[in-house]
């Protein structure tokens, strides 16, 4: 199985499959056909079969998918079968919210430290996670094994900080700053942008479209 | 100009154009060619021309685009040229972070109230915005003109709350709950999902892919 051949669109859908299979599993469902799964997820059954065939299938004719097994396989494909150490840059509301979100997948992502520039937070702990000063970041990264950094700071500081992260071995950046990092981050560092204000603008556009149709 | 003919992909890119044009405008740039804009945004110049042609062009041969004018036109297309009243359901870290994000576009989105079920927050204000109890939501929506609701509550409550929102006239939901709302929300209500944990899983997948290539 080569990861390189999987299209971005499939990768976008995998976490959604993972979420639905989790809900089915919680509800005690042991197996499901692609038809049933498709009705719940509002995608076509053939789309589901095609997507999962990218990874070798997992389904059996006339039996459907084993929910627990399929979920575990998708977890493995997504790299959720091991723990990723993570730091969060910015201990404001968004940083705190992300620390909670990461807990969703408790065994896959472990927030080991928050960093902030506000001296009032120095030495504090939030929900059991220590907050350190941003100046300590390079040393912390060199001394600890950290793969992922979430960036929840204003755009003025984001690019400088991204450079420091990359120079000190961070391999993945979860970027919430209102800017793109493509100019400063090399190709061998994964970047996932979450531009919340762009999402709000799309909502505004769709709202306008719906109103125009009335 | 019919909104219906514009593809989802173009709509996804418009807020990004808007952001870049804002940065150019702040930097004092008055006009820009599609070639220069394409170098900054890392998309092709022909993509930019094609995208903007959907809305009637705006560019002049040999002159390029007037930055301020193009930005205002895109704002108008996105519905940012007027104020949308918004409520935020859930006054936790994420709700507070969104209240700040919405301020980014101060004249387009106005958060008029936060709602929460925690009685300790009753009657409080956060950054000048009142917090009300969730039981007061239906009456508040009937008495005030609110178009957008942001949903930052656990999935167990999200679907019930979405129903209340729709029954009381909300036209757009910015959904951060870890569930899809497509089963309960009619087609004439706009929904924009931000599933943060799915975004983190995509990052984890891309990280794994990069590691496999080493």
């Amino acid at each position: 199985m080569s990861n390189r051949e999987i299209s971005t669109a499939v990768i976008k859908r995998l976490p959604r499959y993972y979420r639905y299979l989790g809900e089915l599993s919680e509800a005690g469902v042991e197996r499901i056909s692609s038809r049933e799964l498709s009705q719940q997820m509002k995608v076509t059954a053939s789309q589901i079969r095609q997507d999962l065939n990218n990874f070798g299938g997992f389904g059996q004719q006339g039996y459907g998918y084993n929910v627990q097994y399929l979920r575990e396989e998708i977890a493995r494909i997504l790299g959720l079968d091991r723990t990723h150490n993570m730091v969060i840059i910015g201990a404001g509301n968004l940083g705190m919210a992300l620390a909670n979100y990461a807990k969703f997948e408790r065994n896959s992502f472990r927030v080991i430290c928050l960093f902030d520039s506000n001296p009032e937070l120095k030495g504090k702990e939030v929900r059991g996670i220590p907050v350190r000063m941003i100046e300590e970041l390079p040393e912390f990264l060199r001394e600890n094994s950290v793969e992922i950094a979430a960036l929840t700071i204003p755009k003025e500081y984001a690019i400088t900080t991204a450079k420091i992260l990359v120079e000190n071995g961070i391999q993945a950046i979860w970027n919430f700053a209102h800017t793109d990092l493509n100019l400063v981050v090399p190709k061998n560092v994964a970047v996932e942008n979450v531009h919340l204000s762009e999402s709000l603008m799309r909502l505004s556009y769709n709202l306008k479209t719906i109103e125009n149709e009335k």
Side-chain angles (χ1 to χ4, degrees), chain A:
Chain A
M1 177 187 74
S2 161
N3 277 337
R4 295 308 281 162
E5 290 158 25
I6 315 298
S7 78
T8 319
V10 179
I11 303 312
K12 282 218 163 210
R13 285 192 290 268
L14 278 187
R16 195 156 167 258
Y17 287 123
Y18 182 76
R19 175 157 56 84
Y20 270 82
L21 290 165
E23 286 178 12
L24 289 167
S25 185
E26 275 171 31
V29 178
E30 285 179 16
R31 58 179 175 164
I32 192 162
S33 66
S34 50
R35 198 170 52 84
E36 287 170 295
L37 191 57
S38 91
Q39 282 163 354
Q40 294 206 18
M41 291 189 61
K42 308 244 171 181
V43 290
T44 66
S46 83
Q47 172 88 85
I48 289 179
R49 283 192 296 268
Q50 245 178 55
D51 282 353
L52 299 180
N53 276 340
N54 274 305
F55 303 99
F58 312 125
Q60 258 178 281
Q61 197 75 40
Y63 174 89
Y65 297 101
N66 177 313
V67 170
Q68 192 51 37
Y69 175 72
L70 182 55
R71 186 164 190 259
E72 281 165 19
E73 285 300 299
I74 292 178
R76 199 177 49 71
I77 292 161
L78 291 170
L80 306 178
D81 55 344
R82 64 178 186 82
T83 306
H84 303 277
N85 283 342
M86 180 167 151
V87 293
I88 296 176
I89 318 296
N93 287 315
L94 187 56
M96 308 277 263
L98 295 188
N100 280 333
Y101 257 89
K103 273 194 241 157
F104 259 73
E105 304 301 332
R106 206 176 282 267
N107 297 314
S108 310
F109 305 100
R110 195 162 65 99
V111 178
I112 58 170
C113 199
L114 289 144
F115 288 86
D116 206 285
S117 59
N118 180 356
E120 285 179 24
L121 295 174
K122 193 173 179 166
K124 294 232 166 121
E125 277 198 1
V126 285
R127 300 168 199 215
I129 306 165
V131 183
R132 291 183 182 237
M133 291 298 94
I134 191 76
E135 297 79 25
E136 302 172 54
L137 179 62
E139 197 186 336
F140 185 89
L141 293 178
R142 286 192 300 267
E143 290 179 358
N144 294 273
S145 165
V146 186
E147 285 177 302
I148 303 176
L151 215 49
T152 71
I153 53 179
K155 69 172 176 181
E156 303 89 271
Y157 310 110
I159 287 174
T160 329
T161 309
K163 279 184 195 163
I164 293 171
L165 291 170
V166 170
E167 281 165 12
N168 291 284
I170 282 290
Q171 296 181 288
I173 299 178
W174 199 16
N175 176 41
F176 289 77
H178 201 52
T179 187
D180 290 338
L181 300 177
N182 49 6
L183 293 173
V184 290
V185 173
K187 280 206 174 121
N188 63 347
V189 172
V191 176
E192 175 79 19
N193 292 306
V194 185
H195 291 313
L196 293 179
S197 61
E198 295 187 14
S199 156
L200 184 54
M201 287 180 203
R202 283 194 295 273
L203 185 63
S204 164
Y205 175 86
N206 289 326
L207 172 63
K208 191 182 147 186
T209 308
I210 286 169
E211 280 172 353
N212 283 346
E213 281 172 359
K214 277 176 190 163

